[in-house]
Coordinates of all heavy atoms in Angstrom, one line a residue:
N58 N -9.2 1.1 -9.0 CA -9.7 2.4 -9.3 C -9.7 3.2 -8.0 O -10.8 3.3 -7.4 CB -11.2 2.2 -9.9 CG -11.7 3.5 -10.4 OD1 -11.0 4.5 -10.4 ND2 -13.0 3.5 -10.7
V59 N -8.6 3.7 -7.7 CA -8.4 4.4 -6.5 C -8.2 5.9 -6.8 O -7.3 6.2 -7.7 CB -7.1 3.9 -5.7 CG1 -6.9 4.8 -4.5 CG2 -7.4 2.5 -5.3
K60 N -8.9 6.8 -6.2 CA -8.9 8.2 -6.6 C -7.5 8.9 -6.4 O -7.1 9.7 -7.2 CB -9.9 9.0 -5.7 CG -11.4 8.6 -5.9 CD -12.3 9.4 -5.0 CE -13.7 8.9 -5.2 NZ -14.7 9.7 -4.3
D61 N -6.8 8.5 -5.3 CA -5.6 9.2 -5.0 C -4.6 8.2 -4.3 O -4.4 8.3 -3.1 CB -5.9 10.3 -4.1 CG -4.8 11.3 -3.8 OD1 -3.7 11.1 -4.5 OD2 -5.0 12.3 -3.1
V62 N -4.1 7.3 -5.2 CA -3.3 6.2 -4.6 C -2.1 6.6 -3.8 O -1.6 6.0 -2.9 CB -2.9 5.2 -5.7 CG1 -1.9 5.8 -6.7 CG2 -2.5 3.9 -5.2
D63 N -1.5 7.8 -4.2 CA -0.3 8.2 -3.5 C -0.5 9.2 -2.4 O 0.4 9.9 -2.0 CB 0.7 8.8 -4.5 CG 0.2 10.0 -5.3 OD1 -1.0 10.2 -5.4 OD2 1.0 10.9 -5.7
C64 N -1.8 9.3 -2.0 CA -2.1 10.2 -0.8 C -1.4 9.7 0.4 O -1.5 8.5 0.7 CB -3.6 10.2 -0.6 SG -4.1 11.2 0.9
G65 N -0.7 10.5 1.1 CA 0.1 10.1 2.2 C -0.6 10.0 3.5 O -0.1 10.5 4.6
F66 N -1.8 9.5 3.5 CA -2.6 9.3 4.7 C -3.4 8.0 4.5 O -4.4 8.0 3.9 CB -3.6 10.5 5.0 CG -4.0 10.6 6.4 CD1 -3.6 11.6 7.2 CD2 -4.8 9.6 7.0 CE1 -4.0 11.7 8.5 CE2 -5.2 9.7 8.3 CZ -4.8 10.8 9.1
K67 N -2.9 7.0 5.1 CA -3.5 5.6 5.1 C -3.5 5.0 6.4 O -2.6 5.1 7.2 CB -2.8 4.7 4.0 CG -2.9 5.2 2.6 CD -2.1 4.3 1.7 CE -2.3 4.7 0.2 NZ -1.6 5.9 -0.1
V68 N -4.6 4.2 6.7 CA -4.6 3.4 7.9 C -5.1 2.0 7.6 O -6.0 1.9 6.8 CB -5.6 4.0 8.9 CG1 -5.6 3.2 10.2 CG2 -5.3 5.5 9.2
F69 N -4.4 1.0 8.1 CA -4.8 -0.4 7.7 C -4.3 -1.4 8.7 O -3.5 -1.0 9.6 CB -4.2 -0.7 6.3 CG -2.7 -0.5 6.2 CD1 -1.8 -1.5 6.4 CD2 -2.3 0.8 5.8 CE1 -0.5 -1.3 6.2 CE2 -0.9 1.0 5.6 CZ 0.0 0.0 5.8
K70 N -4.8 -2.6 8.6 CA -4.4 -3.7 9.5 C -3.1 -4.3 9.1 O -2.8 -4.5 7.9 CB -5.5 -4.7 9.5 CG -6.9 -4.3 9.9 CD -7.9 -5.3 9.7 CE -9.3 -4.8 10.1 NZ -10.4 -5.8 9.9
K71 N -2.3 -4.5 10.1 CA -1.0 -5.1 9.9 C -1.1 -6.5 9.3 O -0.2 -7.0 8.6 CB -0.1 -5.2 11.2 CG 1.3 -5.7 10.9 CD 2.1 -5.6 12.2 CE 3.6 -5.9 12.0 NZ 3.7 -7.3 11.5
A72 N -2.3 -7.2 9.5 CA -2.5 -8.5 8.9 C -2.4 -8.5 7.4 O -2.1 -9.5 6.7 CB -3.9 -8.9 9.2
I73 N -2.6 -7.3 6.7 CA -2.4 -7.2 5.3 C -0.9 -7.4 4.9 O -0.6 -8.2 4.0 CB -2.8 -5.8 4.8 CG1 -4.3 -5.6 4.9 CG2 -2.3 -5.5 3.4 CD1 -4.8 -4.2 4.6
L74 N 0.0 -6.8 5.7 CA 1.4 -7.0 5.4 C 1.8 -8.4 5.7 O 2.7 -9.0 5.0 CB 2.3 -6.0 6.2 CG 2.0 -4.5 6.0 CD1 3.0 -3.7 6.9 CD2 2.2 -4.2 4.5
D75 N 1.3 -9.0 6.7 CA 1.6 -10.4 7.1 C 1.2 -11.4 6.0 O 1.9 -12.4 5.7 CB 0.9 -10.8 8.4 CG 1.4 -10.0 9.6 OD1 2.5 -9.5 9.5 OD2 0.6 -9.9 10.5
K76 N 0.2 -11.0 5.2 CA -0.3 -11.9 4.1 C 0.4 -11.6 2.8 O 0.8 -12.6 2.1 CB -1.8 -11.8 4.0 CG -2.4 -12.7 2.9 CD -3.9 -12.8 2.9 CE -4.4 -13.8 1.9 NZ -5.9 -13.9 2.0
I77 N 0.6 -10.3 2.5 CA 1.1 -10.0 1.1 C 2.6 -10.1 1.1 O 3.3 -10.1 0.0 CB 0.6 -8.7 0.6 CG1 1.2 -7.5 1.4 CG2 -0.9 -8.6 0.6 CD1 0.8 -6.1 0.9
G78 N 3.3 -10.1 2.3 CA 4.7 -10.1 2.4 C 5.4 -8.8 2.0 O 4.7 -7.8 1.8
P79 N 6.7 -8.7 2.0 CA 7.4 -7.5 1.8 C 7.1 -6.9 0.4 O 7.0 -7.7 -0.6 CB 8.9 -7.9 1.9 CG 8.9 -9.2 2.7 CD 7.6 -9.9 2.3
L80 N 7.0 -5.6 0.3 CA 6.8 -5.0 -1.0 C 8.1 -5.1 -1.8 O 9.2 -5.0 -1.2 CB 6.4 -3.5 -0.8 CG 5.1 -3.3 0.0 CD1 4.9 -1.8 0.2 CD2 4.0 -4.0 -0.7
K81 N 8.0 -5.1 -3.1 CA 9.2 -5.3 -3.9 C 9.7 -4.0 -4.5 O 10.9 -4.0 -4.9 CB 8.9 -6.3 -5.0 CG 8.5 -7.7 -4.5 CD 8.2 -8.7 -5.7 CE 7.8 -10.0 -5.1 NZ 7.5 -11.0 -6.2
T82 N 8.9 -3.0 -4.6 CA 9.3 -1.7 -5.3 C 9.8 -0.8 -4.2 O 9.5 -0.9 -3.0 CB 8.1 -1.1 -6.0 OG1 7.0 -0.8 -5.1 CG2 7.7 -2.0 -7.1
A83 N 10.5 0.3 -4.6 CA 11.0 1.3 -3.7 C 11.0 2.6 -4.5 O 12.1 3.2 -4.6 CB 12.3 0.9 -3.2
S84 N 9.9 3.1 -4.9 CA 9.8 4.3 -5.7 C 8.4 4.9 -5.6 O 7.6 4.5 -4.7 CB 10.1 4.0 -7.2 OG 9.0 3.2 -7.7
A85 N 8.1 5.8 -6.5 CA 6.7 6.4 -6.5 C 5.6 5.4 -6.8 O 4.4 5.8 -6.5 CB 6.7 7.6 -7.5
I86 N 6.0 4.2 -7.2 CA 5.0 3.2 -7.5 C 4.7 2.3 -6.3 O 3.8 1.5 -6.4 CB 5.4 2.4 -8.8 CG1 4.2 1.8 -9.5 CG2 6.4 1.3 -8.3 CD1 3.4 2.8 -10.3
T87 N 5.4 2.5 -5.2 CA 5.3 1.6 -4.1 C 3.9 1.6 -3.5 O 3.4 0.6 -3.1 CB 6.4 2.0 -3.0 OG1 7.7 1.8 -3.6 CG2 6.2 1.1 -1.8
E88 N 3.3 2.8 -3.4 CA 1.9 2.8 -2.8 C 0.9 2.1 -3.7 O 0.0 1.5 -3.3 CB 1.5 4.3 -2.6 CG 2.3 4.9 -1.5 CD 1.8 6.3 -1.1 OE1 2.1 7.2 -1.8 OE2 1.1 6.4 0.0
T89 N 1.2 2.2 -5.1 CA 0.3 1.4 -6.0 C 0.5 0.0 -5.8 O -0.5 -0.8 -5.8 CB 0.7 1.8 -7.4 OG1 0.5 3.2 -7.7 CG2 -0.1 1.0 -8.4
E90 N 1.7 -0.5 -5.5 CA 2.0 -1.9 -5.2 C 1.2 -2.3 -4.0 O 0.6 -3.4 -3.9 CB 3.4 -2.2 -5.1 CG 3.7 -3.7 -4.8 CD 5.1 -4.0 -4.5 OE1 6.0 -3.1 -4.4 OE2 5.4 -5.2 -4.2
L91 N 1.3 -1.5 -2.9 CA 0.7 -1.8 -1.6 C -0.8 -2.0 -1.8 O -1.4 -3.0 -1.4 CB 0.9 -0.7 -0.6 CG 0.2 -0.8 0.7 CD1 0.5 -2.1 1.4 CD2 0.4 0.4 1.6
V92 N -1.5 -1.1 -2.5 CA -2.9 -1.1 -2.7 C -3.3 -2.3 -3.6 O -4.3 -3.0 -3.4 CB -3.4 0.2 -3.3 CG1 -4.9 0.1 -3.6 CG2 -3.2 1.3 -2.3

């Protein structure tokens, strides 16, 4: 339940990427996948 999932202003820890691994999508849904 994110108000604006595709807002182009995000800050986060790189540890997140280290745990979840590479994202699989490459489209307008990619930010939804990240969150």
Side-chain angles (χ1 to χ4, degrees):
N58 188 8
V59 176
K60 295 179 182 179
D61 192 2
V62 70
D63 63 333
C64 176
F66 201 112
K67 294 180 175 67
V68 182
F69 53 94
K70 298 175 181 177
K71 189 175 184 297
I73 292 175
L74 300 182
D75 296 335
K76 185 169 183 178
I77 69 176
L80 301 177
K81 297 179 180 180
T82 61
S84 67
I86 206 72
T87 297
E88 291 187 283
T89 298
E90 180 188 3
L91 172 62
V92 175

